[in-house]
């Protein structure tokens, strides 16, 4: 089949878009870097949206095989902290929706390429990627990054990522786009898992990159970020690009092992190479492939050989690689991804329980001294201006410690509007005090003040951001940093 790889890529993409609740009439943008991952993503988007005027028959038939799922509400993709933010603070009045074009008008399908201006070849690579995206029928735009000042302390990649997403968000707002696709793949997921493992992350961190998530709700134009290729290895995306005649660029910065992610990638690649050599000795001339290694050089010679038995952990993941030899990815990468996917399932259950806990604990203060509003809606309106919330202590005291810690972390993140979470030791210290069923004294952490509500005997606690006014009255507050 001439478009075998493209057909499987398109079917996988259509499945992920359906599970995210995105229809073909939605305005969608794709972050285009010029690499094989983003080019294959742009290709799949052009087929799925109908922007490409020439969709191969095999590809069209593959996408039609995708069964429609139940409608998914945008709110279902909120993290626990964002869900808490919607309940307690200013984001509660913001309606999350996906942008569509008016009836009978073609939806906006665009590709955004950011020139970071860190390499001389960057301009040429952006132009090459934009040209190919335009040939696919996408509206290609190139954005120039303006550096206020280059970081000098080793945070270049983090600063570049922050500025890149700011530019992408501005462009999506200008184009009335609410869904942004990124080309993260299984290799990125495995690297993220290992990086967080070395830092001692818990279940929520080891769950890795989410397939679907919302950007900051504080922005004027929140974006639904979708990563359809998180289960696919990089060589699989390169194979699809090669089949369709696309030319991608390899960023030499990715080979610089002074950056942690590149160092982890090199270690994983080395481990997979050693595993491949071992498998080759055991299976004769059969050569398994890794998450990063392209199979084109070795698979053709093995087409008539007996296919090796698939690894159990690969089939459990549901990954269906489209190697011409019918072989599965092998080595360290898939084993890591198996653990990551189990952590992701655990995080999903933990997040659901934490959302229920936050909703159960959020309530109006009791007693006439508090002068409670007449309705929850009026209370939410007051909280919108004050950015504070009243929570019952008892639900946290009775909840499972992991669920309670997850919920408390979300509350502090939501109120302080901080991207980084408070340290787990701080959250556990607060939970130990709440286990009594009441809160004595005030607690400061993550730019938040958590204090007992007056006349509630500590059974209710108020959470508010640590403002300058609150800091002056908190001289006797017990600080935990």
């Amino acid at each position: 089949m001439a478009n075998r790889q493209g057909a499987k890529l398109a079917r996988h993409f259509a499945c992920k878009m359906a599970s995210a609740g995105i229809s073909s009439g939605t305005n969608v943008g794709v972050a285009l870097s010029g690499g094989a991952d983003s080019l294959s993503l742009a290709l799949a988007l052009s087929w799925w949206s109908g922007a490409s005027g020439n969709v191969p028959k095999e590809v069209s038939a593959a996408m039609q095989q995708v069964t429609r799922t139940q409608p998914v509400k945008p709110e279902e993709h909120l993290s626990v902290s964002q869900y808490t933010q919607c309940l307690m603070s200013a984001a509660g009045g913001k309606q999350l929706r996906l942008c569509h074009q008016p009836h009978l008008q073609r939806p906006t399908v665009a590709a955004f390429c950011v020139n970071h201006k860190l390499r001389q070849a960057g301009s040429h690579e952006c132009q090459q990627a934009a040209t190919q995206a335009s040939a696919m029928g996408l509206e290609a735009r190139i954005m120039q990054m303006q550096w206020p000042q280059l970081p000098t302390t080793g945070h270049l990649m983090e600063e570049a990522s922050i500025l890149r997403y700011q530019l992408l968000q501005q462009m999506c707002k200008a184009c009335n786009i609410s869904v942004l696709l990124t080309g993260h793949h299984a290799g990125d997921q495995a690297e993220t898992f290992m990086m967080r493992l070395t830092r001692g992350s818990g279940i929520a961190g080891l769950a890795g990159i989410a397939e679907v998530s919302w950007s900051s709700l504080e922005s004027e134009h929140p974006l639904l970020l979708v990563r359809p290729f998180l289960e696919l290895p990089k060589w699989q995306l390169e194979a699809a690009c090669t089949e369709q005649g696309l030319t991608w660029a390899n960023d030499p910065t990715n080979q610089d092992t002074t950056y942690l992610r590149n160092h982890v990638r090199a270690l994983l690649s080395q481990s997979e190479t050693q595993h491949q050599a071992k498998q080759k000795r055991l299976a004769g001339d059969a050569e398994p492939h890794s998450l990063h290694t392209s199979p084109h050089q070795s698979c053709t010679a093995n087409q008539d050989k007996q296919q090796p038995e698939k690894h159990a952990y690969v089939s459990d993941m549901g990954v269906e690689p489209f190697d011409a030899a019918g072989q599965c990815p092998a080595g360290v990468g898939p084993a890591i991804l198996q653990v990551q996917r189990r952590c992701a399932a655990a995080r999903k259950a933990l997040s659901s329980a934490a959302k229920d806990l936050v909703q159960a604990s959020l309530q109006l203060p009791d007693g006439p001294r508090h002068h409670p509003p007449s309705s929850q809606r009026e209370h939410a309106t007051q909280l919108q201006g004050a950015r504070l919330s009243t929570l019952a202590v008892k639900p946290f005291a009775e909840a499972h410690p992991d669920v309670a810690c997850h919920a408390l972390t979300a509350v502090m993140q939501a109120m302080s509007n901080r991207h980084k979470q408070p340290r787990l030791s701080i959250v556990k210290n607060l939970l130990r005090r709440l286990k009594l069923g009441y809160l004595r004294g005030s607690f400061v952490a993550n730019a938040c003040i958590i204090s007992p509500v007056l006349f509630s005997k500590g059974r209710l606690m108020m959470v508010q951001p640590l403002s300058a006014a609150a800091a002056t009255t908190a001289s006797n507050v017990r600080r935990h940093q």
Side-chain angles (χ1 to χ4, degrees), residues 103-160:
H103 185 58
L104 299 180
Q105 290 189 18
R106 179 180 173 181
T108 302
V109 185
F112 305 124
C113 190
V114 178
N115 181 12
H116 296 82
K117 295 185 177 181
L118 296 176
R119 296 184 296 110
Q120 293 182 353
S123 299
H124 172 72
E125 293 171 357
C126 284
Q127 188 60 50
Q128 177 180 268
T131 301
Q132 296 182 92
S134 297
M136 300 174 192
L138 305 181
E139 181 182 341
R141 298 194 180 189
I142 299 178
M143 297 170 289
Q144 306 294 330
M145 183 175 290
Q146 303 297 329
W147 288 91
Q149 184 178 358
L150 286 177
T152 57
T153 57
H155 297 283
L156 181 62
M157 292 300 179
E158 291 82 355
E159 291 294 333

Side-chain angles (χ1 to χ4, degrees), residues 94 97 99 168-179 214-224:
K94 181 171 295 185
R97 62 182 182 87
C99 299
L168 290 171
Q169 193 157 26
Q170 294 172 8
M171 189 58 64
C172 287
K173 180 182 178 181
C175 298
N176 194 31
I177 288 175
S178 57
V179 177
W214 281 96
S215 63
S216 174
L217 299 184
E218 292 293 329
S219 64
E220 298 180 2
H221 190 75
L223 289 177
L224 184 66

Side-chain angles (χ1 to χ4, degrees), residues 177-387:
I177 288 175
S178 57
V179 177
L180 181 66
L181 310 181
T182 62
H184 294 86
H185 51 78
D188 297 320
Q189 188 73 282
E191 294 157 12
T192 300
F193 178 91
M194 292 302 297
M195 291 169 62
R196 294 182 178 179
L197 183 65
T198 59
R199 294 168 179 167
S201 296
I203 291 295
L206 295 179
I209 309 171
E211 283 191 352
V212 186
S213 62
W214 281 96
S215 63
S216 174
L217 299 184
E218 292 293 329
S219 64
E220 298 180 2
H221 190 75
L223 289 177
L224 184 66
L225 304 176
V226 184
R227 308 165 185 91
F229 291 164
L230 276 177
E231 295 180 354
L232 303 183
K234 184 176 182 179
W235 61 261
Q236 203 167 343
L237 307 178
E238 292 177 345
C241 289
T242 301
E243 181 184 73
Q244 301 300 320
L246 299 178
T247 303
W248 66 86
N250 293 313
D251 189 351
T253 308
N254 294 332
Q255 307 301 324
D256 186 357
T257 55
T258 57
Y259 297 105
L260 177 59
R261 181 172 291 275
N262 295 344
H263 181 66
V264 171
R265 183 183 302 121
L267 292 177
L268 289 175
S269 179
Q270 180 181 1
S271 299
E272 289 168 349
T273 301
Q274 295 174 355
H275 180 88
Q276 289 180 34
K278 179 180 178 181
Q279 290 294 99
K280 186 177 179 180
R281 290 194 302 269
L282 296 176
D285 57 351
E287 298 183 7
H289 310 298
S290 68
L291 295 173
H292 300 87
T293 306
S294 176
H296 299 301
Q297 298 178 353
S298 59
C299 65
T300 55
N302 298 321
Q303 292 182 2
D304 297 330
K305 302 290 184 179
Q306 183 178 0
Q307 296 182 1
E309 183 180 357
K310 292 186 177 181
H311 292 278
Y313 52 76
V314 176
S315 59
D316 287 344
M317 289 166 49
V319 175
E320 183 190 357
F322 25 107
D323 174 6
Q327 295 177 351
C328 289
V332 179
I336 291 175
L337 292 179
Q338 182 200 18
V339 179
Q340 176 271 321
R341 287 177 65 83
R342 291 177 178 174
C343 291
R347 179 176 64 180
K348 184 177 180 180
L350 184 64
S351 298
S352 178
K355 289 179 181 179
D356 293 340
L357 175 57
V358 172
Q359 190 171 20
S361 62
L362 185 64
Q363 59 177 317
L364 296 175
D366 294 327
R369 296 175 183 266
H370 301 293
H371 303 289
S374 59
S375 68
Q376 184 72 24
R377 179 175 298 180
E378 295 178 10
H379 180 57
T381 304
Q382 292 188 4
L383 294 182
Q384 181 172 345
R387 285 193 63 81

